[in-house]
Amino acid sequence: MEKKRIAVLGSTGSIGTQALEIISRHSGLFEVEVLTAQNQYQLLIEQSLKYKPNTVVIGSEKHYQIVNDVLAPQGIKVFAGSEALDQVVQMESIDMVLAAIVGFAGLSSVIKSLEARKPVALANKETLVVAGELISKLALENRTPIIPVDSEHSAIFQCLIGEHNNPIEKIYLTASGGPLRKFSSQEIKEVTRAQALKHPNWEMGAKITIDSASMMNKGLEAIEAKWLFDLAPDQIDVIIHPQSIIHSIVQFHDGSMKAQMGLPDMRLPIQYALGYPQRLPSPDGRFDFMDYPELSFEKPDLERFLNLRIAFEVMEKGGNMPCVMNAANEIAVEAFLHDRIKFPEMTFIIEKTLEKATFLPQGGYDEYVKSDRESREIARMLI
Ligand code: NAD
Ligand code: MG
């Protein structure tokens, strides 16, 4: 059997490194065709020497020379910059693109992948938040699948196998509640970066970890689900499930509910997306009922976690509003991570940016780029 040749975009990140682990485990099935990273050139070099990709892209041009000096003698092609990223995903030799860049920066390469009819294993949820309509259209027109990597969406995707013509009544996205689940509003005001970065169940990149603490992550995921599964906002519900064992639930129109369960470990949804439609064996830990004699559920608190409410409002409003929200959130999270603003000020910045940014009921890629830029400027001024 031919090996599936994979482009790992964002290979130095939390998802990227775990994906490489999966590829190593199943080296008879997968091989690495492309690796890309923004700044971590040393890790990118290390990965390239190990996985021997055909081509490597280092986003930050100042690191090009050193990466090229080491890898060119190995016969590995090296490029730099964001345009190179858009070009490499179209390489003939790629069978699948794993989109694991964080933020708006990952959008363009997903568009190019779909245009080149490369199946996309999608971790980068911001892509669907910003441009869900455009991305869904491209996937449809090019008859190219998007397979979700986000654990909740992977769960729903798995629950929908074999249910092709059966209408979904609603879905329940589960949320751990994050590290601040039990903090009072007063305590949330004074939350430090270290506290917010301490996720109870998952180890992830810094941006998504802060998004989890503020519940923006679940808001982004609701919008992601809307586009992936063609749902109306009122078909999407969020339920707090602190153990993160049930990864999400689909309820059909006969009232039946299907859930996907497992230990919280991103390697499972990553492997599922890479191997789809095949389930591959995994040596990772197994769920033991006696370790979790109780699975519990709570209603999300929209007073303490305003971001979740904002995301649902923005989803209703549509147009470029999710793009504006995403941009403001990226700027706000970055500022919080640099101790420039307090935790609740992230919400303030998002709300104000949504008020001030130009509303566009419809748009294509160029409009999203413009709107993203305008929103970032507004958000920066607010800081
Ligand atoms: P991360 O910060 O650990 O890694 C991000 C990767 O993207 C790095 O390889 C980095 O070099 C690259 N990158 C960053 N900025 C870039 C830019 N401007 N241009 C090109 N490349 C750039 O992030 P992560 O936690 O791996 O998350 C990646 C994506 O997957 C995010 O969209 C996140 O929401 C989603 N996701 C992550 C997890 C998780 O467990 N980490 C779970 C579900 C979804
Ligand atoms: Mg998730």
Side-chain angles (χ1 to χ4, degrees):
M1 204 174 84
E2 297 267 305
K3 288 189 194 179
K4 201 186 261 187
R5 294 159 298 181
I6 301 178
V8 182
L9 312 184
S11 65
T12 54
S14 158
I15 294 290
T17 50
Q18 293 180 85
L20 289 178
E21 196 186 324
I22 299 297
I23 291 172
S24 292
R25 280 185 194 171
H26 297 284
S27 55
L29 295 175
F30 305 125
E31 77 191 340
V32 176
E33 192 65 10
V34 171
L35 292 175
T36 86
Q38 182 63 11
N39 288 310
Q40 284 180 281
Y41 66 90
Q42 269 157 328
L43 181 54
L44 181 66
I45 289 173
E46 241 174 74
Q47 292 177 335
S48 304
L49 293 173
K50 178 165 178 199
Y51 292 94
K52 304 267 187 297
N54 177 301
T55 302
V56 159
V57 179
I58 177 77
S60 165
E61 313 209 0
K62 65 174 184 244
H63 301 309
Y64 170 76
Q65 202 58 52
I66 174 150
V67 177
N68 192 53
D69 286 351
V70 182
L71 299 183
Q74 305 288 322
I76 298 173
K77 297 182 207 81
V78 180
F79 300 98
S82 54
E83 275 172 32
L85 203 58
D86 287 352
Q87 283 162 9
V88 294
V89 295
Q90 307 189 40
M91 275 164 48
E92 189 65 41
S93 56
I94 294 171
D95 298 316
M96 175 175 245
V97 173
L98 172 66
I101 290 173
V102 59
F104 184 91
L107 170 61
S108 178
S109 47
V110 171
I111 291 177
K112 296 295 173 196
S113 305
L114 293 172
E115 284 175 352
R117 302 197 165 180
K118 307 294 182 187
V120 175
L122 185 70
N124 178 277
K125 62 191 85 187
E126 294 90 348
T127 285
L128 283 173
V129 172
V130 170
E133 194 165 2
L134 173 69
I135 295 292
S136 312
K137 203 171 125 229
L138 279 175
L140 203 68
E141 277 173 6
N142 292 294
R143 278 178 262 115
T144 302
I146 298 175
I147 300 147
V149 169
D150 211 349
S151 57
E152 297 76 3
H153 307 74
S154 174
I156 292 164
F157 188 85
Q158 293 178 54
C159 291
L160 290 175
I161 304 275
E163 301 284 0
H164 187 57
N165 286 316
N166 290 326
I168 300 173
E169 192 164 86
K170 69 193 297 181
I171 64 164
Y172 291 92
L173 293 176
T174 51
S176 69
L180 312 183
R181 178 171 65 98
K182 292 197 163 151
F183 282 43
S184 68
S185 299
Q186 198 51 41
E187 286 166 330
I188 288 176
K189 279 190 189 146
E190 300 305 327
V191 157
T192 63
R193 186 175 56 168
Q195 285 172 312
L197 281 172
K198 210 166 167 186
H199 198 283
N201 303 343
W202 302 95
E203 253 188 61
M204 313 179 282
K207 194 251 174 190
I208 182 175
T209 306
I210 299 302
D211 284 345
S212 299
S214 72
M215 295 288 289
M216 179 52 92
N217 184 48
K218 218 42 62 176
L220 299 175
E221 290 185 353
I223 301 174
E224 180 186 13
K226 170 190 158 66
W227 294 113
L228 279 172
F229 307 113
D230 193 19
L231 301 169
D234 65 0
Q235 287 178 291
I236 305 169
D237 225 329
V238 171
I239 187 91
I240 305 288
H241 166 45
Q243 297 83 13
S244 297
I245 295 297
I246 295 181
H247 297 307
S248 278
I249 301 157
V250 182
Q251 181 177 310
F252 296 94
H253 70 168
D254 60 355
S256 178
M257 295 163 98
K258 277 167 88 173
Q260 187 262 340
M261 295 169 64
L263 290 174
D265 185 337
M266 283 308 294
R267 289 174 299 187
L268 200 152
I270 294 169
Q271 173 171 297
Y272 185 78
L274 297 183
Y276 176 79
Q278 230 187 317
R279 284 191 189 274
L280 304 173
S282 163
D284 295 330
R286 299 297 194 258
F287 173 76
D288 182 334
F289 285 91
M290 293 312 115
D291 290 340
Y292 296 86
E294 274 174 34
L295 297 180
S296 60
F297 304 94
E298 298 165 13
K299 217 172 136 70
D301 182 346
L302 299 180
E303 300 301 320
R304 276 183 308 143
F305 297 102
L306 279 171
N307 282 357
L308 189 55
R309 175 183 297 175
I310 294 172
F312 271 86
E313 285 167 7
V314 155
M315 172 164 42
E316 286 278 1
K317 199 151 183 213
N320 67 331
M321 287 292 106
C323 171
V324 173
M325 177 187 77
N326 177 70
N329 183 56
E330 286 191 30
I331 296 295
V333 169
E334 178 80 18
F336 176 73
L337 283 170
H338 287 91
D339 290 326
R340 295 181 56 206
I341 57 172
K342 292 198 167 196
F343 195 84
E345 286 169 338
M346 292 195 288
T347 301
F348 171 81
I349 287 164
I350 294 163
E351 280 178 322
K352 286 286 163 216
T353 307
L354 283 165
E355 273 170 38
K356 288 179 193 236
T358 318
F359 176 63
L360 300 169
Q362 267 168 340
Y365 178 68
D366 293 341
E367 284 76 26
Y368 293 132
V369 170
K370 243 194 217 159
S371 176
D372 176 76
R373 205 169 291 153
E374 181 198 51
S375 309
R376 281 168 196 267
E377 266 164 35
I378 297 170
R380 279 199 196 98
M381 298 244 286
L382 289 162
I383 293 165

